[in-house]
Amino acid sequence: MSIHSEVKRISVPQLMAYKGQKKIASLTAYIAPIARLLDESQDMILIGDSTAMVGYALPDTLSITVDQMAAHAAAVVRATQRACIIVDMPFGSYQESPAQAFQSAARLLSLSGADGVKLEGGAVMAPTTRFLVDRGVPVLAHVGLMPQYVNTMGGFKAQGLTDEAAERIFQDALAHQEAGAFGVVLEGVAEALARRITEALSIPTIGIGASPGCDGQILVTEDILGLSGDRIPKFAKRFGDAASVIRDAAAQYADSVRDGSFPTLDHCFGVKKNQG
Ligand code: KIV
């Protein structure tokens, strides 16, 4: 068996070693062309189940399946060489039991070649994290605002704003660390809480709507590119205007088709030079 590989990705243990040394930069990708462009700058690329909302225009993340996530993750893995690739476990694929979680995680990783999985849930999911890690599946936990809990949270609302709620989220993060998670995503939590968790944990925290004090940050790529419509979440920032680039290029193309300036004979087959 050959274990030689040309591709040298940032591994999960390498990401863990960033703690206290270097911030982790991370974005989402669902398709190859975007993943290819992110690979050189991001330490970690997440195939988020946010693709349900961003890519499929669904109202929440609940209806995406393991096989859909695996297909997106496989495309991202094929298009990248460097970034660590983590794939979200979709709703309903892991909450029932640790054994169900292992089956889903194994399917996601074997079909895609991703490096690890992310799962949402507080301390109640820590035994599942332990079960997966003990069986060779790296787990990134996701606590705080958990979009898969949209129905029990009553919407996408910031979390940990009372002392009691903050303490619960602190214990959630700690429980996943003790269960062997390699990192914790802190989404939509009070800033002071994110800072406290980051200081207390020995594994990296990756914030989204959390704190600049987190060990890393993650955003949805479409939000930073202006591809999410006019409204972006308070915690996101637009770093570019891909919407204008796409709209302008598409309009120029349509104008050229309509006025006959595209295609020219240069774009056609079987045309002799100097013909036309
Ligand atoms: O699904 C997702 O994109 C996420 C994030 C942390 C951005 O979970």
Side-chain angles (χ1 to χ4, degrees):
M1 181 183 77
S2 167
I3 54 165
H4 180 76
S5 161
E6 292 299 313
V7 177
K8 203 77 190 122
R9 283 189 191 279
I10 297 169
S11 66
V12 164
Q14 280 172 323
L15 267 192
M16 293 177 81
Y18 280 30
K19 176 104 186 172
Q21 304 296 320
K22 193 173 160 189
K23 294 269 190 185
I24 297 172
S26 183
L27 284 168
T28 58
Y30 319 124
I31 56 172
I34 298 284
R36 203 173 285 126
L37 296 172
L38 303 186
D39 193 35
E40 65 186 48
S41 61
Q42 303 308 304
D43 303 306
M44 186 184 98
I45 295 177
L46 173 73
I47 300 88
D49 60 356
S50 54
T51 189
M53 300 171 77
V54 178
Y56 290 86
L58 289 162
D60 53 45
T61 60
L62 303 183
S63 51
I64 196 102
T65 66
V66 167
D67 283 7
Q68 282 175 297
M69 291 301 296
H72 285 287
V76 169
V77 169
R78 284 193 293 270
T80 56
Q81 304 193 21
R82 190 191 149 270
C84 187
I85 308 294
I86 303 299
V87 56
D88 256 342
M89 299 198 59
F91 180 68
S93 72
Y94 62 99
Q95 289 90 345
E96 194 179 326
S97 66
Q100 184 211 21
F102 182 74
Q103 278 203 358
S104 302
R107 184 162 178 83
L108 280 169
L109 297 192
S110 65
L111 288 178
S112 70
D115 300 293
V117 301
K118 174 165 83 59
L119 58 81
E120 295 179 15
V124 70
M125 293 307 298
T128 298
T129 292
R130 168 54 63 203
F131 193 88
L132 295 182
V133 173
D134 282 351
R135 286 157 183 77
V137 179
V139 174
L140 177 62
H142 181 154
V143 304
L145 195 172
M146 299 174 291
Q148 293 181 14
Y149 287 72
V150 61
N151 291 324
T152 42
M153 288 185 313
F156 299 107
K157 296 177 183 161
Q159 303 291 309
L161 302 179
T162 63
D163 288 351
E164 196 190 346
E167 188 51 33
R168 189 174 29 77
I169 295 170
F170 182 86
Q171 294 302 333
D172 289 342
L174 205 60
H176 281 289
Q177 167 172 284
E178 281 165 9
F182 75 84
V184 184
V185 169
L186 302 176
E187 177 165 358
V189 296
E191 197 275 334
L193 170 64
R195 206 171 275 278
R196 182 176 157 226
I197 294 174
T198 303
E199 281 162 13
L201 295 193
S202 57
I203 56 173
T205 59
I206 303 180
I208 170 163
S211 167
C214 289
D215 299 305
Q217 302 292 330
I218 184 164
L219 284 175
V220 168
T221 298
E222 284 73 4
D223 286 344
I224 73 158
L225 293 179
L227 292 175
S228 306
D230 291 336
R231 291 191 57 202
I232 60 166
K234 170 185 162 66
F235 54 74
K237 178 176 168 185
R238 199 164 284 173
F239 285 86
D241 187 5
S244 297
V245 172
I246 294 171
R247 201 179 287 115
D248 291 352
Q252 277 182 49
Y253 162 75
D255 288 347
S256 308
V257 169
R258 291 181 189 123
D259 69 17
S261 60
F262 178 83
T264 66
L265 293 183
D266 287 342
H267 304 109
C268 299
F269 299 102
V271 179
K272 293 200 179 71
K273 279 214 163 71
N274 305 324
Q275 184 183 327

